Amino acid sequence: MSYSGPEFEPAPSRRSPLRRPLVVALAALAPGALLGWGVYAAVGGPAAPGGAASAAVGTPAAGSGSTGPAADGDGKPTASSGSAGSGSLKGKVVVIDPGHNPNNFRHTAEIGRKVDIGTNRKECDTTGTSTNSGYAEARFTLDVAHRLRALLQAQGATVKLTQDGDRAFGPCVDERARIGNTAHADAVISIHADGAAAGDRGFHVILPASVHAGAADTRPITARSHDLGVRVLGGFRRVTGSAPANYLGDGTGLVTRKDLGGLNLSTVPKVFIECGNMRDGKDAALLTSGAWRQKAALGISEGIVSFLRG
């Protein structure tokens, strides 16, 4: 930084009769000196601490505490986020299931048809809920899914989404389960937000019940799914600061259900998370915040990483 003004003017100096020849000599030597330093640095000479050499490759400073992708002002991962994984989850497959679909409301007949979920038949899918101001659950789930994918990919995991807003509707709940099964996923997380009464606040994680009926047999995955759910609950609570739901689960934040096809038909560890209640004003203020959704994704990712590392 340079300054101008009377108070920063340099004091006048006396001109030496040797100054002119000396300046010429130094000017002649400067290019060679710079060239020599360039070669020295290129072959492994020490760089100044915090210098441009380390900044150019985007390496975090030691002790920075950075464990995930960079985010923009709204808390959303930047385009370069997660481009290089740490490798800690290399070989692991995670399937993210963003609940519902932004286009479902245009296809009520298609999503209304019944499919087999093992214990009975149920609607293919639903439109989901929304905040009182009209922010749709399907938009929320897809946004959190994108953030979560970036975080997990940055850890080296292979990540697949059951839908990316790129299909007319669905997929149906039985197909969502098949996607995780076919991928031989090490973990599947289905992302949702609830539509309970105002005043009902908090999040909860849904675990598969032990079901053995028709096409459903969750017995081989219930224990592992419970472990996954507990870890996701812990990570989500720690990072977001949210409390477990005050309207179900007896304050534990864990709910076991046997009426969800996405869980009943899964053959790999899988849980749902209801991140908050869209119909409550205080919860809705969180769910509509990009910065908070980034925290939600980070909390979920920490739970999944903990589960996959064992």
Side-chain angles (χ1 to χ4, degrees), residues 57 75 105 153 160 175 221 260:
V57 296
F105 74 96
Q153 286 177 336
K160 300 182 179 182
E175 185 183 351
I221 68 161
L260 298 175

Side-chain angles (χ1 to χ4, degrees), residues 65-85:
S66 176
T67 58
D72 65 17
D74 192 37
K76 190 170 185 177
T78 60
S80 61
S81 297
S83 58

Side-chain angles (χ1 to χ4, degrees), residues 18-246:
L18 297 176
R19 180 177 181 184
R20 190 178 198 87
L22 182 59
V23 169
V24 172
L26 288 174
L29 289 172
L34 290 172
L35 178 61
W37 170 251
V39 172
Y40 174 62
V43 298
S54 61
V57 296
T59 304
S64 67
S66 176
T67 58
D72 65 17
D74 192 37
K76 190 170 185 177
T78 60
S80 61
S81 297
S83 58
S86 69
S88 63
L89 298 184
K90 187 176 181 180
K92 299 295 187 181
V93 177
V94 179
V95 170
I96 303 173
D97 179 29
H100 313 290
N101 182 316
N103 301 310
N104 273 357
F105 74 96
R106 297 188 177 96
H107 301 273
T108 54
E110 291 89 342
I111 66 171
R113 70 180 180 85
K114 301 292 181 69
V115 297
D116 182 13
I117 65 166
T119 52
N120 61 300
R121 296 182 67 82
K122 202 169 181 179
E123 289 79 7
C124 157
D125 202 1
T126 68
T127 59
T129 187
S130 68
T131 65
N132 293 332
S133 62
Y135 180 61
E137 180 187 1
R139 286 180 56 200
F140 168 82
T141 64
L142 203 53
D143 181 81
V144 174
H146 289 161
R147 297 169 187 269
L148 178 59
R149 176 174 60 187
L151 290 164
L152 292 172
Q153 286 177 336
Q155 293 288 325
T158 297
V159 183
K160 300 182 179 182
L161 269 60
T162 58
Q163 60 92 11
D164 202 0
D166 53 355
R167 50 188 294 164
F169 63 90
C172 295
V173 293
D174 55 343
E175 185 183 351
R176 290 175 187 264
R178 282 197 300 274
I179 292 170
N181 299 343
T182 302
H184 302 290
D186 296 286
V188 183
I189 182 83
S190 189
I191 301 171
H192 289 264
D194 212 355
D200 293 342
R201 294 200 61 196
F203 75 98
H204 63 281
V205 175
I206 304 174
L207 312 173
S210 181
V211 173
H212 185 210
D217 186 1
T218 62
R219 294 174 299 176
I221 68 161
T222 51
R224 291 282 286 157
S225 296
H226 184 274
D227 185 24
L228 172 62
V230 168
R231 291 174 189 261
V232 167
L233 183 146
F236 191 89
R237 184 176 189 176
R238 182 171 55 254
V239 176
T240 65
S242 296
N246 62 7

